[in-house]
Each structure stands twice: as C-alpha cells, then as structure tokens.
Amino acid sequence: MSNGVERPDGVYSVAYRPEHLVGREREKEAICQAIEGGKRVIYVEGQGGIGKTRLLTDAAAFIPEMVSDPSPTVLSIVDFYDTAMHSSIALEDALADRIRRQLEDETLFQDFFRVLEQYRAGRAEEKRVHEAFARVFNEWVEGRYAVLCFDTAEALEYGRDAREVIEDCEIEGQEAPAVYWIQQALRDLNDTTLLIAGRPTRGLRVQLRESYGEGLWTDVFLGALSLDEAYQYFEASPYGRDEDEETIQRIWLLTDGRPILLSLAIDWLHWGVELHDLYRDDIEALQALSEKRDEEWQSRRERFEVALVRKIRLLKSPMDAALYYAARARKGFTAHMLHQILTDEELPFREVELTLEQAVDLVEELSKLSFVKHPYGAREGWYFLHDEMYDLLDKHIWRVDFPGYTHQAQAARFIAGQVYGDEHQRGLVADATERVRQAGPHVDLLETRRQLNILQTERLFYVLEADPQDGYRWYRRLDIQAIEQGHCEWDDMLRIEVLRFMNTFPYWAKQNEVVKEIDPLSNELVFADFVNRDARALWVQRLLARGDYEKVIRVARKLLQRYPDWDDFWKAVVLTGLGSALMRQGKVESATVLREALQILETPDLEGDPWAVQHYTGMAYLYLGLRARAEWNLKRAALMYEKAHGTFQDNDESIEAARALNNSAFILVKQGEYQKAIDNARKASEIRDEFGDIVGKGLSLNTLAIAIDRSGQPIIAQGLARDALRHLQLAKENRYPGLDRAIAMVHINLGRIQRHRARRERPHLEERVMKSWRRAEEELLKAVDLVDRLEPYYRFDLYNQLGLLYSNWANWLFTRRSEETERFFQLMEKGDHYFELANRFAEENGLFIDQADNLEDWAWVYHLRRAYGEQTGEKMSHEELRREVFDRLNRAEALALESVEDVTQKELQAHYILGSVHHSRGRFIHKFDLDVLEALKEYALSVAYYDHFALNPSDPLERRERVREHIRDTLERILQESSEEAVEETCDEMKRAVEKEKLPSTGLCEWLEETLADLTWE
C-alpha cells in the first residue's frame, strides 16, 4: 500500500469515540450495589486502554439512574495523571472547585477557600485546611450522597520514594500525600464513596484495601469487552456499522477486546486499509490459537497491535506529524505548541507547511478522537493523549525510528527550551512569571504563582527527558528553592515529577544512570545511590521548612550515624539542616554544627553541584547570623549576614540575598553603623521591589526608617516608615494575609521615631513637642491592638517602647511644666506598668539580654521620681526609691553577666547593657549618695564595657561620650578643689576597679592619661 491514505470524506481523523458507554452492564451493576451497600472505596482495576476512564466519565449518568434514596451527586474526575493533584491540599481544592462548578454556586466552600488561602500564604497549618474541608464538605453533603471519581491511580505509586528513604526519614504517609488522604482524610467525609480507577499496581491496591478492610472496600475488575459488546462497539461507531460479524470477531480476538485498539481498527477499515494480511487464518483457526494463549498467540496479537499503531504513519495530512509529536508532549499540547514544533526548521522528521490557524483547526479535529482528551480542570486549549496511546506510540513508532533516543531527547529539549522557556526567555514560564509580577489581589497572586509552579514542574519533565543527569541537577535546584520558600505544594509536585519521570522512561533513566536496576518481573525500579542519598538530605530540609524541628534533629543524627562514609557534600547538607533546627530551638550547640557544615562546604574542589554547594553555604551563614543575633553577638551576626548575602548574590539567589541584607541592616543599626545599615536596607528594598514583593519592600522600608532615625534624621525616617505602612496597608487591601504582624512592627517604629523627635525638638517649641509625644502614643497603641500577632521579641519591644515613651514624656513634662504633678505621676505609672509587662514577657520567653536592657530602662522611672521627689510630693522614701533603682540595676547586671561566657569576647550587646547599668548606677550614686569616688568607679566600668562593645575604642559612641563627659567634669572639680595628686590617685582607683573585674583597660587608661594631661596643662 502506498503512503498517503486520504479519507473519502476529506476529514482527517482516526478512532472517533462512541457517543455513549458500550456494554459494561456487569461492572455498572457491581459499582451501584457497592454504593448502596455502604462501601467507602470502589477500586476499578484494568489494563491500559481497557475503558476505565470512559467508565468513570459515564458514572455521572448511570449511577444516579441506578442508585436512589438519595440519588448520588457524582463529581467530575480528578486525574492523578496531573502531578499537581498528588498534593492532598490540591486534591481538596479540586474537589471543592468541582462541587461549586457542578452545582453552579460560588458561595459554597467559602470558609474552606479562606483557610486554603491562608495556608498558601504561610499563615495556616495543613491540618487546619483538612479540618476546614471536612467540616464544610459534611455541611454540604448532609441530605445528599457524594461519589468522588479518581483516575490514573497507578501514578500515585510512581511518585513514592524508596522504602529505605521512607523508613530512615520517618515520613510514612508524607511521601505520598494523596494516598494518605485516601487512607485517612476520606474517612472524615460523611455519606461519600470513592470510585477510583487504575492499572494493576505493585502495592497500592493492596495498601488501600488493607486500610479499609473488606467491609468498606470492594474491587471491580474491568476486563476486555465481550464479543457481544464488541459488536455493540462497532454498531455505535459511525464508521463500523457496515462491517460483517466475522471481521469484527477477528479484530476482537486480535485486540483482546481492548476499546482503544478496536477504535483504531474501525477507523482504518473505514479508510479502506486492508487488515486481512495480519490474520490470514480462518476464524476457527484464529479462535483455536487464541484459546492456547501461548507465545505464538502473543506474537500474533502484538504484530496486529504494531500494525494498527504504525498505520498512523500512512496519513497524508498534517495529522500524522501532529500525532507523532503530540506523543512526545506527555504534559499536554496546544495548537500553538504543535505549530511551533511542526514549523521548526530542524526538529520535524519532514517539512510541514502549517499556519497557526490551520494548527488550531487540526487540534480541534484531534480533540474528537477517542484517545485524545481534555481533562476536567486542564488549562483552556490543552489536550492530552490517552495514557495508553502515549505508551503505544512511544513503543511502536518512536523507539523503532530512534532506538538510541536521540530524536526523543531533541524533541524534549525543544519543548523545554522553546515552548516553556524560563523566567528570562520567551515562553510559557516567562509569560507566567510576568503574570505573577502583575498580580493584584493576594488571592490572584497565590493562584498565578501556583500556575507558574505547575509550568516549571512540567518543564522539568522535559528537561529530565532531554538529559536525565542534567535534569536531575535542575530538579534539585528548583526543589531547594521550593523548600526554602515554604511552597509545600510545589515541593511535592517537583519531588513526585522526578520520580514519575523515572517510572515513565525507566530504560532511558537507567541508561543515564539515575536508575540503577529494573526488576525484570515486577518492573520495580532501584534508584541510583546518589538519588536516594539526595532524597534523605532533602527530606531533612523539608522537615525543617515545615517546622518539625524535633524530627529534623532525630532524623539528621540517625542519618549521620548510620551512613558515616557517604560523601562530604551530603553530610554538609544534613549538618546544615541539623544546625538550623538546633538554632530554632535555641540550642547553643547549633553554632558548632553549622561551623562543621561550613568547613566541609568551603573545602576546595568539593564534589557536588556548585549551585547547591553555594546555596547551603549561604544558609549556614544565615543561620549562624541568627544564632549570633540571639546571643546578641552583633559583630559576629553582622559578619555572618554579610557572608550570607555575598554567597546568595554570587549564586543568583536574589530573594535570599535580600533577606540577608535586611537582617544585616537591623544588626548594623544596633552597632551604630548607620550608613551601612541604610545602604543594606535600601538594596534589600530595591531587590524586593524588582521581584514585585510588596510586603518584603514594606519591611525593608521599615528597616531603612529605623536606620535613618538612629542616624539623627527622624523626619526623613518618619516619611519612610509611613511609606512602609502604605505598602503594607495596600497589600492588606489586596487581601494579602498575615500583614497584621508587619503593620504592628511599623507602628512600633513610628512610635519610636516620634519619641525621638520629641526628645530632639528645640525646648521652646512646646506645642510641637507635645504633638510628637501624642503621636508616639497613638502609633504604639495601634500596635497594642495587634499585639497577639507579634512574635515574642517584637511584643517585648512594644512594651519596652511604651515604658520609654511614658517615662521620657514624664521627664520632659516636669522640666517644662513642673506644676502638672498629677500628670507626671500618671505618665510614670503607665511607664512602670509597661516596663513591668516587658520584664515579665522577656523572662517568660527566655529573652534575658532584652530583660536586662529593659531593667536598666525601668530603673530610670525611680531615678527620676527620686530626682523630682521634693517638688512632686513623692510618697515613697528616698531609701525605698534607691532600693527600687538598685534592685533593677543589680538584676540587669546579673542577667547580662550570665550571658557572657568569655569576658574577653568583644562586641557583645551584653557589654553595651553593662556599660549602661554602670552609667545609671554611677549617676544615682553621684547625684544622691554624693560618693564621688564610687561614682567614678562606676563610670570607669561603664567606659570599659562600652570600649569592649565598640568596633573600635576610637569610634564615636553616644552614651560613652556622655559618661566620659561626666568623668572629665568630676575630675576637673577635684583638681579645682584639691590637687593634681588627688586627681591621679582617683584615676588609679578607677583603673583598679576595672582591672578587678578583669576587663581590658587599655582604652580607658589611654583616655584618662589624655584627659589628665589636658586638665593639668589647662
């Protein structure tokens, strides 16, 4: 037969599907009886192309007819061919969406979708989503009965990690979330039966059956069509009605009654293609041969199958090329995609002249075929071949034409690079990235980001097919980002996609050494050693991102002990996860573990993906910075954040780089490095703005405002903070969740800025100063309204800022309006109240350095009451006030000293607090005890601690300069009232006080010598 078969009516088509389900009466009866009998799971099992999907599709018609009291609502199919559906969250999302659409009621499941949005924004736990779904579903199903339809169940088995990985990482159920949902969450749904279909599997069917037991489970085996059903099948087709019974019987025997092959045979007969050369035996001989089921029969059947499939090559129209390349698009195809492929100069096996409009018409024709489908929920214009047809075309055409897989890899590379592209290259991914940047309301952003993640996952499949080794490296990079950014659904999709690829093309995966072995009997895969090692390391990171720190610590330690000889990079990744979890739990040993990881990661010529090595190096530095910040070791925190930022920047990880920059800016403010803090916060803001991160930009603007305020520019800082607030409020209006915390942080900062403005205003501008005090109070009280949204540190900071506001305000008020004693005491009482709240909260949450800082601030309430006591009619005695002051200062000193393990260690926040404690104590002794020498000893200790804190003793430090000024003025009075020798003796006493505490005194001694020389020279 010559090539170029044309259809008599000019229509390009093969295998038109019958309009209704043919036969299957026994199976339909079994399904309906199982529903009436209260079975929770009905498992329909059958070979590929046997009609499982068609049976599920028609379930919506035959189940309501055959089952009553009540008549069930049959939901549209959820197809596990779509990797996105393997997430239990996505599964519930899909079910809720199907109910809303089928019942045409958008008000249904609103509570569920609200919690789902919170989860996808990182504000709700997965458990809350499942609880919300079960609650709302059960409200909806009351008085009804629901049948859920799941297809391609075998894909759930393909997406599972190796058994030893599951056991080592203690993740039973978590590695296959959709399976776990069927086993557990389905039980929470009232009046519901699951109808699930799949090919024979190694263990999934048994696993699910054991979960439910015989009482709640039943099997329905879907076998070949009977001969009578085959006659009906031909009769139902517009192209098969005229065939004689003997021809139908021959085809039925040779296709083994599989509908997908029957439909192909019908179409070829209508095309006038002779099939008799494939079965020259008479019908009796063919029947006898089929009953033997021996090798000869299997060979005869396979030859017939091959011929049926390969006759697609005879099509003269563009349909042959379209089907040829549609078979390579296992993630679906569109008219535009086929047009790109078929008109490419190098890719097609023959030149095809095809306009985009013709491609649209061609795909419309393809969509009518029995083995082409547009599943419910698929993107508009996207079509898929039947799973079995993908396999048949791959087996009988592509692998015959290209046994070395060269053109298959070339086609996959074209689809990945030209059709999908990436974030910077034209294509589906670039278009989706732009939609994310342009998204408005937060709910739209979440959905556009999810669609981008789905496209990135689909692209990964083709990258893997083009080059499995390179694709695996790309998978690791994407999955690391998904894990670090907390995108659990995307992480599940990526992990399952790479495992599914290996099960789809096992021999190609084995040829490229990502699969080690294939069991010849069960076809079960043994993944390459490096794949299983990676899986364990990624599960450690996954559990860390999900906040399961106890399990991370337990699993990581077990892995390191069980596999001591595995490669260094793997060990470093596990150590990074372990150290990070220990840090999150506040364990001191976290720094040791992270440093061990860093030592490995920074080894020259370390074997491992360079990008992943850099990423984990950056994460180790970031967590070391967080640990140093928790210890108030500001110098080390700043250094770690700087290194983290540089590492992420070199690795082209802009989001992580901005995170490190923003953290660094906060520390630099604490160190007094204001300009550097301003630069870092501004860079972080610019990066976040570029990526459309409106919330991140708001937070960076707030950090920038803090830095600028501390640099002495409160008016500019106020404008920036208000700009930050506008960004966050705009985001909130667009339904971004979780913003109350960020908004409260900005209100705290605005309160702090207004307090600083009040203190810095010119004394005679009383009305302006009063306005600043009131605005500071307003901002801080707005934060109080959101206090439950704040983390412990920021809640403490709010209480401390309120204490400072009211004590500073009272001090200012008395110096300007001394007659307002009642208002003075009201403000002092409020200050005392909030300092007490801050103290209690810090103590309960282990914020001991912050508690010490607060106690030193709190002591000033009683210091000021002592100072103004005579004018205000203070009721407490001088001794009682002194006791209150010293009690707080002594407790602050004890807490600060406890946090300093090594007194020689420099630049700790504890040193700054100790400097402040000794300054405050010295001021009280100087003013009220009138013990000049004791006061100077306290001042000396204060300067020594401030020197120890400063990056450089010569650097300016505002509070240290004030103490030095006190010392200089006091020494000058001693010199005037006594002698030079008395001054020298006093200086020696000050030095001895410092040496007694074993503090370095070089800076103090040099400054005292210079001061003494100046005084005596004068």
Side-chain angles (χ1 to χ4, degrees):
M1 182 178 295
S2 63
N3 192 9
V5 177
E6 290 194 29
R7 197 172 193 64
D9 57 11
V11 179
Y12 306 135
S13 61
V14 291
Y16 272 78
R17 61 174 65 87
E19 293 182 359
H20 61 272
L21 180 65
V22 173
R24 302 303 190 189
E25 296 305 322
R26 181 186 63 81
E27 292 85 353
K28 291 193 290 186
E29 185 67 28
I31 289 169
C32 292
Q33 286 181 359
I35 293 171
E36 291 178 329
K39 301 294 186 185
R40 298 304 305 273
V41 179
I42 304 169
Y43 195 95
V44 179
E45 184 175 86
Q47 296 292 335
I50 209 69
K52 300 183 295 298
T53 300
R54 187 58 192 265
L55 181 66
L56 259 62
T57 302
D58 279 42
F62 72 77
I63 290 177
E65 290 179 359
M66 299 173 68
V67 178
S68 58
D69 296 328
S71 178
T73 299
V74 182
L75 301 187
S76 302
I77 296 171
V78 174
D79 196 341
F80 290 123
Y81 184 86
D82 182 0
T83 304
M85 291 297 104
H86 290 231
S87 158
S88 57
I89 295 289
L91 187 55
E92 290 177 344
D93 186 3
L95 291 171
D97 181 67
R98 279 154 175 72
I99 293 170
R100 290 207 308 184
R101 289 176 183 271
Q102 284 182 227
L103 273 67
E104 298 181 348
D105 187 350
E106 290 296 315
T107 65
L108 292 171
F109 285 79
Q110 285 184 343
D111 288 347
F112 163 72
F113 284 113
R114 191 176 299 112
V115 177
L116 176 63
E117 182 183 340
Q118 292 171 352
Y119 167 78
R120 285 176 171 160
R123 277 194 65 216
E125 294 182 355
E126 186 173 337
K127 181 181 178 182
R128 272 192 61 205
V129 182
H130 296 318
E131 289 171 349
F133 178 79
R135 183 181 68 256
V136 178
F137 183 93
N138 289 334
E139 290 171 359
W140 166 77
V141 85
E142 187 174 356
R144 296 184 172 93
Y145 198 90
V147 177
L148 317 181
C149 295
F150 294 174
D151 200 6
T152 322
E154 69 275 6
L156 296 176
E157 190 165 86
Y158 299 159
R160 307 189 78 164
D161 289 297
R163 170 49 50 185
E164 61 269 25
V165 173
I166 295 170
E167 291 173 355
D168 275 353
C169 297
E170 304 174 18
I171 51 167
E172 189 70 54
Q174 294 183 62
E175 90 294 355
V179 175
Y180 188 76
W181 188 93
I182 296 170
Q183 290 178 297
Q184 301 297 329
L186 176 63
R187 298 174 185 274
D188 297 328
L189 306 185
N190 301 333
D191 302 321
T192 301
T193 293
L194 170 62
L195 181 61
I196 182 170
R199 299 183 188 184
T201 59
R202 295 186 291 270
L204 178 65
R205 176 174 160 273
V206 173
Q207 181 185 0
L208 295 179
R209 185 180 63 199
E210 289 176 350
S211 295
Y212 282 90
E214 296 301 329
L216 299 175
W217 165 281
T218 192
D219 296 294
V220 174
F221 179 74
L222 199 63
L225 293 176
S226 66
L227 181 57
D228 285 342
E229 288 172 331
Y231 290 144
Q232 295 174 39
Y233 198 90
F234 271 71
E235 181 64 26
S237 168
Y239 306 133
R241 293 169 183 162
D242 299 331
E243 298 300 333
D244 61 87
E245 289 190 359
E246 183 174 322
T247 297
I248 295 173
Q249 186 176 0
R250 288 174 183 274
I251 294 173
W252 172 72
L253 286 167
L254 288 164
T255 61
D256 207 17
R258 292 166 65 191
I260 195 168
L261 295 179
L262 285 173
S263 62
L264 278 174
I266 290 171
D267 206 70
W268 288 125
L269 288 169
H270 186 66
W271 276 57
V273 175
E274 287 291 336
L275 300 176
H276 297 290
D277 59 324
L278 298 174
Y279 47 90
R280 292 174 182 171
D281 300 316
D282 60 37
I283 191 67
E284 289 80 11
L286 199 62
Q287 179 72 44
L289 189 61
S290 72
E291 292 173 356
K292 292 181 180 179
R293 295 288 175 184
D294 57 10
E295 290 184 9
E296 182 182 354
W297 172 248
Q298 296 300 331
S299 175
R300 182 71 61 86
R301 281 185 56 250
E302 186 167 334
R303 290 204 308 275
F304 187 74
E305 177 183 291
V306 170
L308 281 179
V309 175
R310 288 186 65 81
K311 285 184 183 296
I312 288 173
R313 302 290 297 276
L314 299 177
L315 292 170
K316 185 177 182 180
S317 73
M319 179 141 341
D320 66 334
L323 286 174
Y324 191 79
Y325 281 100
R328 301 275 21 112
R330 288 193 178 236
K331 298 289 127 181
F333 62 88
T334 65
H336 187 263
M337 178 190 294
L338 289 180
H339 178 258
Q340 283 181 277
I341 293 172
L342 295 176
T343 57
D344 185 72
E345 294 181 358
E346 298 180 4
L347 186 62
F349 66 95
R350 66 181 175 80
E351 186 176 352
V352 178
E353 291 186 5
L354 189 71
T355 66
L356 182 56
E357 289 75 15
Q358 289 171 327
V360 171
D361 293 340
L362 183 59
V363 168
E364 184 179 351
E365 198 65 32
L366 282 172
S367 70
K368 300 174 184 176
L369 307 184
S370 65
F371 56 81
V372 176
K373 56 186 180 179
H374 174 72
Y376 184 97
R379 296 186 294 270
E380 185 177 354
W382 283 76
Y383 295 90
F384 296 77
L385 301 188
H386 188 287
D387 308 357
E388 181 71 3
M389 202 63 190
Y390 278 122
D391 294 342
L392 290 170
L393 289 169
D394 185 62
K395 178 181 179 182
H396 299 314
I397 295 182
W398 276 92
R399 275 192 264 167
V400 172
D401 290 353
F402 304 102
Y405 220 86
T406 53
H407 201 55
Q408 291 94 317
Q410 185 183 358
R413 191 172 292 109
F414 180 89
I415 294 172
Q418 300 302 313
V419 176
Y420 280 84
D422 58 29
E423 292 84 350
H424 311 293
Q425 182 181 349
R426 288 181 59 188
L428 295 170
V429 172
D431 293 344
T433 301
E434 185 58 30
R435 284 195 293 275
V436 169
R437 288 180 176 146
Q438 298 297 325
H442 188 256
V443 65
D444 294 344
L445 173 64
L446 290 176
E447 183 55 31
T448 54
R449 184 182 289 156
R450 183 168 177 269
Q451 292 304 319
L452 170 62
N453 294 158
I454 289 171
L455 289 169
Q456 290 170 314
T457 306
E458 291 172 2
R459 180 181 184 274
L460 171 65
F461 184 90
Y462 297 112
V463 176
L464 284 159
E465 189 180 1
D467 183 336
Q469 285 278 348
D470 185 57
Y472 187 84
R473 283 189 292 272
W474 184 242
Y475 151 71
R476 186 197 287 124
R477 294 185 185 188
L478 288 178
D479 202 30
I480 287 170
Q481 293 174 62
I483 291 168
E484 296 293 353
Q485 294 168 24
H487 295 169
C488 296
E489 287 182 87
W490 187 27
D491 165 38
D492 278 336
M493 278 191 275
L494 291 166
R495 179 178 58 83
I496 291 167
E497 194 70 77
V498 74
L499 294 169
R500 190 169 169 188
F501 161 76
M502 291 188 275
N503 279 278
T504 303
F505 299 117
Y507 291 96
W508 180 232
K510 184 174 184 293
Q511 183 179 330
N512 285 271
E513 299 180 342
V514 294
V515 165
K516 187 162 64 174
E517 295 176 23
I518 305 172
D519 188 296
L521 297 177
S522 67
N523 287 325
E524 188 168 357
L525 306 185
V526 178
F527 303 131
D529 291 341
F530 78 88
V531 171
N532 283 333
R533 283 199 299 271
D534 258 7
R536 289 171 170 87
L538 285 170
W539 268 109
V540 169
Q541 300 297 327
R542 200 169 281 125
L543 293 169
L544 174 70
R546 295 175 186 182
D548 199 345
Y549 304 131
E550 289 288 350
K551 183 180 278 191
V552 173
I553 293 167
R554 183 172 65 251
V555 168
R557 283 177 169 156
K558 176 171 61 177
L559 292 174
L560 293 167
Q561 185 177 10
R562 187 169 289 180
Y563 306 109
D565 298 328
W566 281 7
D567 66 272
D568 286 344
F569 174 63
W570 175 85
K571 182 179 179 182
V573 175
V574 175
L575 283 169
T576 302
L578 174 60
S580 302
L582 289 167
M583 195 288 301
R584 288 296 187 191
Q585 290 205 324
K587 306 293 185 184
V588 176
E589 64 182 299
S590 61
T592 303
V593 175
L594 289 166
R595 282 194 290 269
E596 184 180 355
L598 263 181
Q599 188 175 1
I600 297 171
L601 291 164
E602 294 184 327
T603 302
D605 303 321
L606 177 68
E607 289 188 12
D609 176 13
W611 184 92
V613 171
Q614 284 284 90
H615 170 81
Y616 286 113
T617 302
M619 293 308 298
Y621 279 129
L622 189 66
Y623 275 97
L624 279 169
L626 290 169
R627 181 62 210 164
R629 174 177 169 177
E631 295 172 344
W632 285 98
N633 188 336
L634 301 184
K635 178 184 179 183
R636 182 161 184 78
L639 178 63
M640 294 300 100
Y641 287 145
E642 186 177 344
K643 289 191 173 184
H645 167 252
T647 305
F648 288 134
Q649 190 174 42
D650 292 345
N651 215 33
D652 198 24
E653 292 184 82
S654 299
I655 293 174
E656 297 297 346
R659 179 183 173 190
L661 273 175
N662 208 57
N663 286 354
S664 170
F666 183 82
I667 294 299
L668 289 165
V669 168
K670 293 287 186 181
Q671 289 181 304
E673 294 275 311
Y674 302 133
Q675 188 54 53
K676 197 170 181 182
I678 290 167
D679 292 342
N680 284 4
R682 189 167 279 135
K683 285 178 190 173
S685 174
E686 289 169 357
I687 292 169
R688 286 167 160 173
D689 188 40
E690 180 185 349
F691 281 84
D693 183 0
I694 188 172
V695 176
K697 182 176 182 182
L699 292 172
S700 291
L701 285 172
N702 192 46
T703 305
L704 180 60
I706 292 171
I708 288 178
D709 174 50
R710 293 295 294 272
S711 72
Q713 303 175 76
I715 296 176
I716 295 174
Q718 180 179 311
L720 286 165
R722 295 209 176 280
D723 196 17
L725 192 60
R726 279 194 294 274
H727 274 79
L728 296 172
Q729 287 172 336
L730 175 63
K732 190 172 183 179
E733 288 169 10
N734 285 327
R735 296 182 62 194
Y736 281 66
L739 293 183
D740 287 345
R741 165 188 171 274
I743 289 170
M745 288 166 60
V746 179
H747 283 306
I748 294 171
N749 190 28
L750 279 166
R752 180 188 292 110
I753 291 169
Q754 289 291 353
R755 178 172 64 85
H756 289 168
R757 282 196 66 178
R759 295 183 67 191
R760 290 166 181 160
E761 285 285 10
R762 296 174 185 176
H764 62 279
L765 301 174
E766 288 194 14
E767 287 304 315
R768 185 184 294 181
V769 176
M770 281 298 295
K771 188 179 291 186
S772 292
W773 290 124
R774 292 192 190 102
R775 285 179 176 172
E777 183 181 36
E778 288 171 7
E779 296 293 348
L780 292 173
L781 291 178
K782 286 177 183 176
V784 170
D785 292 339
L786 303 171
V787 70
D788 291 340
R789 308 290 194 275
L790 290 170
E791 297 152 319
Y793 171 78
Y794 292 107
R795 190 180 297 192
F796 159 82
D797 190 34
L798 171 58
Y799 294 148
N800 176 256
Q801 285 301 315
L802 280 161
L804 287 168
L805 167 67
Y806 290 122
S807 61
N808 290 172
W809 192 351
N811 184 34
W812 177 87
L813 183 71
F814 188 79
T815 60
R816 299 295 179 272
R817 304 175 183 179
S818 58
E819 70 281 2
E820 296 187 23
T821 56
E822 184 178 352
R823 180 63 173 151
F824 171 84
F825 279 116
Q826 288 174 350
L827 292 170
M828 280 298 186
E829 186 177 347
K830 288 183 178 181
D832 190 68
H833 167 71
Y834 282 110
F835 280 134
E836 184 176 10
L837 276 180
N839 182 70
R840 186 165 66 244
F841 194 79
E843 187 169 22
E844 289 171 355
N845 289 276
L847 304 171
F848 300 123
I849 290 291
D850 300 293
Q851 185 183 2
D853 197 13
N854 181 72
L855 283 164
E856 192 271 329
D857 292 333
W858 194 4
W860 280 95
V861 169
Y862 296 93
H863 186 127
L864 292 171
R865 285 172 62 177
R866 170 67 177 87
Y868 305 135
E870 291 182 8
Q871 297 96 317
T872 60
E874 173 65 56
K875 294 179 181 179
M876 291 180 70
S877 69
H878 291 177
E879 186 56 38
E880 287 173 328
L881 291 167
R882 186 183 193 281
R883 192 160 49 245
E884 294 292 339
V885 170
F886 278 73
D887 175 62
R888 285 159 180 74
L889 293 177
N890 292 342
R891 279 192 287 158
E893 183 178 19
L895 287 168
L897 286 171
E898 284 174 15
S899 73
V900 180
E901 296 178 6
D902 180 2
V903 75
T904 62
Q905 193 175 3
K906 289 180 67 63
E907 297 168 46
L908 298 179
Q909 182 70 8
H911 294 140
Y912 187 90
I913 293 168
L914 286 164
S916 300
V917 166
H918 286 288
H919 178 208
S920 296
R921 191 183 285 139
R923 290 293 290 156
F924 193 94
I925 292 170
H926 202 167
K927 288 165 63 177
F928 307 122
D929 292 354
L930 306 178
D931 189 334
V932 175
L933 182 58
E934 283 303 311
L936 285 170
K937 289 179 182 178
E938 292 292 336
Y939 292 156
L941 288 167
S942 176
V943 171
Y945 275 117
Y946 284 140
D947 284 346
H948 216 37
F949 168 79
L951 292 170
N952 187 320
S954 63
D955 288 346
L957 195 64
E958 183 181 347
R959 201 153 181 186
R960 180 180 57 189
E961 297 312 308
R962 265 188 274 157
V963 183
R964 286 177 173 175
E965 190 176 322
H966 295 325
I967 294 173
R968 181 185 175 92
D969 290 345
T970 307
L971 290 176
E972 187 172 10
R973 278 197 298 272
I974 293 172
L975 182 60
Q976 291 171 354
E977 296 171 3
S978 183
S979 63
E980 187 175 327
E981 289 75 15
V983 173
E984 290 175 354
E985 178 58 31
T986 301
C987 289
D988 290 340
E989 287 286 343
M990 293 166 66
K991 294 174 189 176
R992 282 193 287 272
V994 171
E995 290 166 358
K996 183 180 177 181
E997 296 297 322
K998 299 180 180 178
L999 286 170
S1001 59
T1002 305
L1004 174 68
C1005 291
E1006 290 177 354
W1007 179 81
L1008 283 174
E1009 287 172 7
E1010 291 174 7
T1011 302
L1012 188 58
D1014 287 344
L1015 290 173
T1016 54
W1017 181 81
E1018 290 173 5

